[in-house]
Structure formats: C-alpha cells, structure tokens
C-alpha cells in the first residue's frame, strides 16, 4: 500500500514480529503483514486461505477482528495472492492449502494472537499519547476508550506512530473470554454473498483481459496416452483459429473466441497412443479385484488404528458377523468446471495467472515447473471458486499448465475452459472402495471386537507423491473415518489394503469418511440387530466415556422423536469427521415399483467445538448433508477400457433442489477449540439412509450409491 499513513503489523504463525509506523505521504514498507491499520481508520486483514463457498473469506478475518476489537465495518479483506509461507496453514505444515475443513481450526490461535497483540500496541500508543497507565484504558469497536469516556480511534492512533512501543510476546497477551465476544459466535453477514447474489462475482471462468485468446483442450481419452498424429488442416483453416498446440497428453486449439476454439476442436483428427496399462481397467473388474484383496490381501495391510486384540475378541464372541460394503468412484461435480487464464512474459520465464485453486503453494509450483522459472517471476491472482470439494487441490494442476503452454505458444494471454464433458471425462475421483467389516456381540447384547478393513488405493500417492513418501503407509485421504475414534471399543482394528490404482484419484468432500462412515455405521446397525438391541441404545453403550457424543445422540433422538418412531422408516448414524462429531437421523420413503428412495426429513446434532459463524456452520452442515444424499443415491462414475462412461449432469446425477428434505440442525455450544465443520454433515447420511431402508424393508443396502436398479435387486433378493 502506497502513500498512506498507518501501522503495519507483521505477524508470523507464532505471533507478532514487528510494527512499522508510516507517516502520512510516505511509502509503506513492502512487508507481508497480517493486518494494516490506516490513518483513515480502515483495517486491512490478510485472508490466507481460498474461498469456494465455505465462507472462510469472512470467517478467518473475523477471528483476528474479534481480538483486535475492530469494528467489522472498518475491515477490508485482502486475498493472499502469493506463496508466502508466513501465512501457511498450520494444519499442513505451513503450506498454503485450503482443504479438509482445517481453516478455522488451523488459523484460530495465530489469528487471535495477532489481533490481541495489535490491540495491545494500540493501547500502548494511546497511553503514551495521553500520559496515562495502559491499565486504565479499554477498547471498544475500533477505538481506545479512557476512564472518562473519551474515544480515540484506531486510525488516529495509527497516525500517531509507534515510537517507543514495546511489542508483547506472542503468548504474553491475554485473549478475550468467550463471554466478551461480539464477532465470534455471532451471525455477521458474509462479505462474498452480495456479489455472488447479483452476478458481480468474478470467477476464473469470467476473467477477461485485453488481447486475450481462448483455448479448448482435447485430452487423451485414457490416462497415460499421448497424441502421436494430428490432422488439423480443417481446424487451422477455420475463422479465428490462431494455433494448434501440442501438449504432453492433449491437443489445444487456440482461437479468438471460445466458441471458435470449441468448434475447431471438433474437427481435429487425433491418433492416440495405445500403450497405456489403464486401457485394461474397468470399474466392474476393479471392484472384483479389490473385493478379492479385502478377503485375502496379497500384502500385509497397513494398520490405521488399533486397540486391544480385535481378532481374538471377535473369535471369542457369542455371535460373529462379517459383511462387505462397496462404493463406486465419484466425481466432484463442482458447478464451475476447470478454468484458468495465463499471460506468459515475452522471455517465457515468468507469467501472471488467474485461477480458482485451493492452494497458492501448488499453483505457484506448477507455474515454476512448467516455465522452469523462479518464484519471484510468478504473479498469481487467486479467484473465488465455483466449488472445490478437493477437485482443485492437485500438486500439479493441468488446467493451469495448459493455459501457460498455450499462452507461451501464441504470445498472448490465453483462457482455458474445460467443458463439463471435459471435466467429467478427465476428472480425478473419490476412489472405488471395498470394505470388509467383522464384529461380534455377546449374549447380553454388548459389542465384542470390531475390525474395519478398507481395500482401496492410496489417494495421496497419486495426487501428491512427495507427501506420500513422507507419510506412507498411512493415507488420511483414503482412510479417515475408519478409526471410529468417538466410540469406546476396547478391541478394535482398522487396516488398509493398499490396492492397485486404476483411475485418477483426488481428495473429495469428507475424504475417506465419505465411504468409511457408510460401512462403519451401516455395519454398526447390523451388529445392533444381531444383539437384539435398539440401534440408539447399542451406540449409547459405546459412548459412555464420550459425554459430548452421548449428548449428540440424545439430542438427535429427541429432535426426531426416535423413541416414538412407530412405523416411520427412520435410520440413525453417528459418523463424525476428524475431531468433529455428528449424530443424524433420516426418514425415507420408497417407491417399490421404481426402486427410488426419497428423503422426507433429516435431523442432525453436531459438535465442532467453538463456532465462529453460527449461521454459516448451519449452512455447511446442510450443504454437506445434501452432498451426502447425492453420494448415497445417485453419484457414480463408471470406467470401461480406461475411459469414463459419464458425460454431464444428465447421466451423472446430483441431488436437485426439489429432492432436498427439511434439514433440522442443532449445533452444540461448547467452549472448546474449533474443529472442522465443512465435511461434517456428509458421513452420517449414507449409512442413515441404508439403516432407514432396513427399518422399512428388513433388507440391507451395502453398495453405494443406492441406485433404483440396485434397490430393486435387493428388494427382489
């Protein structure tokens, strides 16, 4: 920021490092501060994450503003547009990475401390200016208040300068008690909603630059293939076509307009290589392979979580049960397909990029790798995303790569837009998984041992091999949710049969819990039935030592009137995410002729620690629950001979507005560190639907999604 007066607070993840006073009319120091207070009272707060609809853009600055005691109306939010690890996500080792509902959880402490330290500095300046003890002063929104009620604005204090001020240590400044919060825990309107509601929000797909060209990419139909011959005479002769660019695994048409590029792409005659091993893979064969591995692993499974001796406990149980659960590949189905704009410098060694991405760090790395350049030559513009859900987390981002190579080829800025069909056919998917569940119960109806085996590939190993080398054989993306951490099960084992990867993979909303929660909680109902117990009572016995979890189960039972459900088709599940818990009940209806399941009502009681933005937390739970309905009922990717079968929303169906039932949400009010809320509403939905189906029909659904043909097959079995 130039030619303005103010205080610039430079804060690392551990706290405030320095403070610089700027006189009116002077240059601001070029630093990477969390926040800047200007003489006109405006407070600029850096937003270190990325926004894809989850409201981090508002929520994270609110944390700092609370401890600063800022007037929210004075706050200006500044998107971090570079790979500056000063602001790295503590949950990912300092990498700038927005995923896994880690934003509030990871940034909560450092941003609170940053605000509190800045507030202490302002109190010191006020004490110096009026010659009183700092202890006699207090703050109100964007002002220091004296004992006689005099208010000194933060802007005036910033203009006064910080000469002689002692910077307190990061852990030495007291933080506000919860009962003093006026921003955290209160419903503050989101900053991003007005522009999105009026069509003024600019996504990567909307970016327009002077002299910009457009590119459509014809990607290889099968992973691992490349173009070996291209007949492009017809395309080159079409009006507006600028160039046909060969890419490592694709061919790009660059033209003056998007529609010219798209039309010309359709005339390309491309001969692809036929050497990829992925040509031999198809979903049905993959499922059979993984099922065989789950039954009899060729290698010793990787232990994910272990307590006691599950095998011995199950062997000694009065009643033993084993079942297998299946789940298909799933596509992210985010509303904005992949898009990026790149303008490569004349020397080919630098670029400005506009992209919707969940990581400043990996996007910057992509530019550096493609152009063989240095970090200082990358100018990144982080755009709001039209949905992410893990789709935009890849270590190497091919849509950004393609925009760079096309821009370098034609010497102009180029926008790459994938069609929906491109995005589906070349998606990176939630992995196909086979889960073999084993457990036992005693004659008095108590659980005796629980073994959760997951046969699925490593997701991290595909989308971030470097990270996999550091963490293997433990893959949190593949296995989260299988640890069953909220139950007290003395003899428990969760292990991972790491199968051969036969499709492109990526994190997905809920990551592993999107399917491990299904198997774990559907099987828990089967064990309850084997024990002759009510599913609620069976679970309550397992949360004796988890009072917060017990509260949630009791609350959702009360909300849904579980004890008086009569002949209503209702199912229960208790499936959290990481350190967050959710107990849910669904009520379904079934058309026995068509096999279609519909949702009549969802009740959910959730605990994600201290909630920064209550209304947004409710929105997140509701949105994830809708995602869970889609996962459970319709979302499915099929692969045949290495090619994705589905094309668009007409054959990759997602839940429509009219299919969404009433969703009642209860958020527990607890004074505990915040935990993730963005995925929390998803894992309980599929098993609760499956359990409701059993309550209605007496039969079990064990293959997700529960498509009408599968439902009819089960009904007729």
């Amino acid at each position: 920021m130039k030619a303005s007066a103010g205080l610039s607070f430079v804060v690392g993840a551990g706290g405030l490092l320095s403070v610089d006073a700027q006189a009116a009319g002077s240059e601001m120091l070029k630093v990477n501060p969390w926040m800047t207070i200007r003489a006109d009272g405006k407070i600029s707060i850096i937003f270190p994450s990325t926004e894809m609809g989850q409201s981090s853009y508002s929520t994270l600055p609110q944390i700092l503003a609370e401890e600063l005691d800022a007037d929210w109306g004075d706050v200006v939010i500044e998107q971090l547009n570079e790979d500056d690890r000063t602001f790295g996500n503590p949950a990912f080792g300092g990498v700038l990475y927005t995923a896994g509902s880690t934003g509030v959880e990871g940034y909560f402490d450092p941003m609170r401390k940053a605000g509190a330290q800045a507030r202490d500095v302002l109190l010191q300046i006020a004490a110096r200016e009026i010659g009183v003890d700092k202890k006699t002063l207090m703050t109100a929104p964007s002002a220091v208040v004296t004992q006689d009620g005099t208010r000194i604005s933060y802007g005036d204090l910033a203009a006064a300068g910080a000469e002689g001020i002692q910077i307190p240590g990061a852990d030495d400044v007291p933080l506000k008690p919860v009962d003093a919060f006026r921003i955290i825990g209160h419903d503050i309107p989101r900053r991003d909603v007005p522009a999105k509601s009026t069509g003024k929000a600019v996504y990567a797909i909307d970016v327009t630059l002077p002299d910009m060209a457009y590119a459509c990419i014809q990607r290889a139909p099968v992973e691992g293939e490349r173009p070996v011959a291209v007949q492009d005479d017809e395309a080159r002769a079409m009006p507006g076509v600028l160039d046909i660019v060969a890419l490592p695994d694709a061919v790009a048409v660059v033209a003056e307009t998007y529609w010219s590029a798209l039309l010309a792409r359709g005339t390309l005659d491309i001969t692809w290589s036929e050497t990829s091993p992925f040509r031999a893979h198809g979903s049905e064969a993959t499922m059979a392979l993984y099922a065989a591995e789950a039954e009899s692993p060729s290698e010793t499974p990787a232990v994910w979580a272990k307590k006691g001796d599950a095998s011995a406990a199950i062997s000694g149980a009065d009643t033993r049960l084993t079942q297998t659960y299946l789940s298909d590949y799933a596509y992210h189905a985010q509303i904005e397909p992949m898009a990026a704009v790149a303008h490569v410098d004349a020397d080919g060694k630098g670029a400005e990029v506009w992209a919707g991405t969940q990581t400043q760090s990996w996007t910057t790395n992509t530019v550096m790798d493609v152009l063989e350049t240095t970090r200082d030559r990358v100018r990144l513009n982080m755009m709001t995303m039209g949905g992410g859900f893990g789709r935009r987390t890849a270590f190497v981002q091919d849509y950004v790569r393609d925009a760079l190579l096309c821009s370098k080829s034609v010497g102009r800025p180029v926008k790459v837009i994938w069609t929906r069909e491109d995005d589906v056919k070349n998606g990176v998917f939630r992995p196909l998984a086979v889960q073999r569940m084993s457990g036992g119960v005693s004659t008095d109806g108590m659980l005796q041992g629980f073994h959760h085996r997951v046969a699925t590939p490593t997701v991290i190993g595909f989308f971030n091999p470097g990270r996999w080398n550091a963490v293997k054989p433990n893959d949190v993306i593949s296995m989260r949710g299988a640890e069953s951490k909220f139950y007290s099960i003395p003899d428990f084992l969760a292990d991972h049969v790491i199968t051969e990867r036969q499709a492109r993979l990526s994190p997905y909303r809920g990551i592993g819990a999107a399917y491990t929660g299904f198997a774990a909680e559907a099987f828990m109902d089967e064990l309850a039935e084997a024990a002759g117990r009510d599913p609620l009572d069976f679970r309550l016995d397992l949360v004796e030592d988890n009072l917060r979890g017990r509260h949630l189960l009791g609350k959702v039972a009360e909300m849904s009137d579980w004890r008086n459900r009569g002949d209503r088709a209702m199912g229960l599940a208790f499936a959290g995410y990481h350190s967050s818990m959710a107990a849910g009940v669904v009520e379904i209806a079934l058309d026995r002729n068509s096999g279609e399941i519909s949702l009549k009502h969802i009740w959910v009681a959730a605990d994600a620690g201290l909630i920064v933005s209550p209304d947004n937390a409710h929105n997140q739970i509701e949105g994830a629950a809708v995602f869970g309905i889609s996962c459970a009922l319709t979302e499915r990717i099929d692969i045949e001979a290495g090619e994705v079968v589905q094309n668009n929303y007409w054959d990759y169906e997602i839940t429509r507005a009219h299919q969404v039932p009433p969703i009642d949400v209860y958020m527990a009010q607890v004074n505990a560190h915040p935990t993730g809320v963005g995925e929390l509403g998803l894992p309980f939905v599929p098993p609760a639907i499956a359990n409701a189906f059993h309550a209605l029909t007496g039969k079990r659904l064990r293959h997700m999604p529960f498509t009408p043909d599968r439902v009819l097959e089960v009904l007729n079995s």
Side-chain angles (χ1 to χ4, degrees), residues 49-98:
S49 189
T50 58
E51 178 61 48
M52 56 188 132
Q54 83 279 33
S55 188
S56 288
Y57 182 75
S58 295
T59 303
L60 294 186
Q62 286 169 2
I63 297 168
L64 193 153
E66 177 67 77
E67 292 293 344
L68 178 63
D69 220 0
D71 185 323
W72 183 244
D74 294 335
V75 171
V76 176
I77 303 171
E78 293 190 29
Q79 170 72 59
L80 180 67
N81 284 317
E82 58 183 312
D83 182 19
D84 185 344
R85 306 293 173 92
T86 301
F87 306 102
N89 189 335
F92 290 101
V95 171
L96 286 154
Y97 197 77
T98 304

Side-chain angles (χ1 to χ4, degrees), residues 292-342:
E293 283 287 293
E295 178 71 26
S296 181
S298 57
E299 296 184 8
T300 302
V303 174
W304 174 247
K306 188 178 189 301
K307 289 185 292 184
D309 190 336
S311 179
I314 295 169
S315 296
D318 298 310
T319 300
R320 294 178 295 279
L321 196 64
T322 297
Q323 294 292 355
T324 298
Y325 294 82
L326 314 174
S327 54
D328 295 326
Y329 294 114
Y331 162 65
H332 297 81
Q334 77 291 343
I335 200 67
E336 181 193 15
M338 312 313 284
V341 178

Side-chain angles (χ1 to χ4, degrees), residues 652-664:
Y652 187 87
E653 298 183 55
I654 62 173
T655 298
R656 313 292 177 167
H658 74 277
Q659 297 170 313
V660 176
I663 303 174
D664 293 347

